[in-house]
Amino acid sequence: MPVSRFLIKRVALIAGVCLITGTLFSACSSVKPPKDGDVAVRYAYSQELVAKEDYDKAIIELESLMFDTRATTLEDDVLFALANAYYSSEQFLLAVDIYTRLLEQTPGSPYAEASQFKLAKSHKELSPTFSRDQEHTRKAIREFQLYLELYPIRDPQQLQSDIEMYTELVALNPENDLYKRNLAIVEAQYARLDNITESASSIGELREKLALSEFSIAEQYQKLKKYRGSIAYYDNVIRFYPDTTYYEKAWFGKIGVLIKREKWFEAQAALDAYDQQFPENMEKVEDYRNSIVEHFENG
């Protein structure tokens, strides 16, 4: 049967549209999948995806590369890029896994310092409200503390002074490699200052959350009249979190519970300890003091 001219024109039109659309799509897309299996090419492609914040596609490529680059010079590059892609896409649990893997598999990597810091930040992001399990809060504190131990800096003012000194020395003697190396060292330490500050601040913030978690349990037990349990949790705050705002509150709560339990000698000892540590708050515990004095006078 002969093909109608109408049908031929229709097919030609559709083909032309498809060709034009495909050409436009190709022209608009600057990030193309590599045509070969070379890991360096694939890694470069994944970095283009990351630069465009197309983390889902980047993660797919990097997850494949993670196995293909094992024990190669690209191993830590791929692991760090993958961990960062997880972090940037707020998949913090997966970021924790890959940062940890990088630190364990390539401990001498130039990405080790940044990975340790981002590992701590990932745990912090996973830290829930105070009323829930605080496993990631504790891990975040531990990883921030490890960062501070592994990558300390000297006094910031001294570092700034050293940078100015070595900068002048390098300007006077540009051929002196020792001056250049020392300048690079102090500049690297100074660049770490923001991370050091954030780590210390985060530790304090997270310790406040842990103290609040213990303190809130103590308060709940007190409301339920489970006084022994209440004292145990007040004591946890007193013992482990003396640097938090809940330290004074825990002492105050403990004195009140001891009075309710009629543990008068223990209440007196706790009151004396409170007075020594918080002399500015002695009026706050005046009612407790009167109750204890009244008991011993009547006894």
Side-chain angles (χ1 to χ4, degrees):
M1 178 184 296
V3 180
S4 69
R5 292 182 180 180
F6 174 77
L7 182 58
I8 292 173
K9 290 182 179 180
R10 182 179 178 84
V11 171
L13 179 61
I14 293 172
V17 170
C18 290
L19 179 61
I20 293 171
T21 303
T23 302
L24 289 174
F25 180 79
S26 298
C28 293
S29 176
S30 61
V31 181
K32 302 177 183 179
K35 295 180 180 180
D36 55 50
D38 182 81
V39 293
V41 175
R42 289 162 57 197
Y43 175 69
Y45 167 60
S46 72
Q47 292 303 92
E48 290 183 57
L49 292 171
V50 168
K52 293 175 70 70
E53 299 184 1
D54 191 347
Y55 298 117
D56 290 341
K57 289 182 180 178
I59 286 169
I60 291 173
E61 191 64 43
L62 288 164
E63 284 177 338
S64 175
L65 279 168
M66 182 173 61
F67 300 101
D68 294 341
T69 57
R70 185 77 170 91
T72 70
T73 56
L74 272 177
E75 180 178 12
D76 57 344
D77 297 278
V78 170
L79 288 173
F80 189 63
L82 178 57
N84 285 343
Y86 282 139
Y87 186 92
S88 296
S89 58
E90 299 185 357
Q91 300 181 69
F92 300 115
L93 200 56
L94 291 170
V96 163
D97 177 61
I98 303 302
Y99 285 128
T100 302
R101 186 175 304 191
L102 186 152
L103 292 167
E104 291 176 349
Q105 292 180 186
T106 59
S109 169
Y111 302 118
E113 178 185 340
S115 294
Q116 179 61 46
F117 182 66
K118 292 294 283 291
L119 173 60
K121 284 172 66 71
S122 298
H123 279 300
K124 182 181 178 182
E125 291 288 349
L126 290 165
S127 173
T129 184
F130 73 91
S131 59
R132 297 172 60 188
D133 181 76
Q134 297 300 307
E135 176 187 5
H136 285 290
T137 307
R138 293 184 176 86
K139 286 182 178 179
I141 292 173
R142 185 178 69 225
E143 299 301 342
F144 277 123
Q145 288 175 333
L146 183 57
Y147 178 82
L148 293 176
E149 292 171 9
L150 292 174
Y151 306 103
I153 64 170
R154 291 181 287 125
D155 177 69
Q157 291 185 344
Q158 182 60 51
L159 280 174
Q160 183 63 47
S161 176
D162 288 348
I163 289 173
E164 293 173 359
M165 177 185 70
Y166 284 116
T167 299
E168 292 177 3
L169 289 173
V170 169
L172 292 172
N173 189 356
E175 304 302 320
N176 191 309
D177 291 335
L178 178 60
Y179 292 159
K180 293 179 181 178
R181 285 198 300 272
N182 287 341
L183 177 59
I185 290 171
V186 294
E187 283 181 335
Q189 287 192 359
Y190 193 79
R192 196 180 296 147
L193 180 60
D194 287 344
N195 288 357
I196 295 290
T197 302
E198 184 177 345
S199 295
S201 174
S202 293
I203 289 172
E205 176 187 337
L206 293 165
R207 283 182 58 78
E208 281 285 322
K209 183 185 289 188
L210 290 180
L212 173 56
S213 178
E214 299 283 307
F215 181 79
S216 65
I217 296 173
E219 295 281 278
Q220 289 171 18
Y221 274 133
Q222 182 175 176
K223 290 177 181 177
L224 295 172
K225 298 184 179 180
K226 296 182 178 181
Y227 297 130
R228 293 179 66 180
S230 179
I231 288 177
Y233 278 93
Y234 283 135
D235 281 340
N236 284 347
V237 178
I238 291 168
R239 180 180 179 185
F240 298 111
Y241 305 105
D243 55 323
T244 69
T245 58
Y246 295 95
Y247 182 63
E248 182 272 336
K249 296 176 182 179
W251 273 111
F252 183 83
K254 180 179 179 178
I255 297 168
V257 173
L258 287 170
I259 291 174
K260 289 178 180 178
R261 292 190 66 199
E262 298 185 351
K263 299 288 185 178
W264 299 106
F265 287 102
E266 293 178 36
Q268 181 65 65
L271 180 64
D272 291 342
Y274 184 95
D275 287 342
Q276 289 178 5
Q277 296 178 87
F278 312 104
E280 71 281 5
N281 290 351
M282 290 179 67
E283 290 185 3
K284 183 177 178 179
V285 291
E286 193 62 31
D287 289 342
Y288 290 162
R289 193 186 329 278
N290 292 336
S291 295
I292 293 170
V293 170
E294 183 179 351
H295 165 76
F296 284 115
E297 287 180 347
N298 295 335

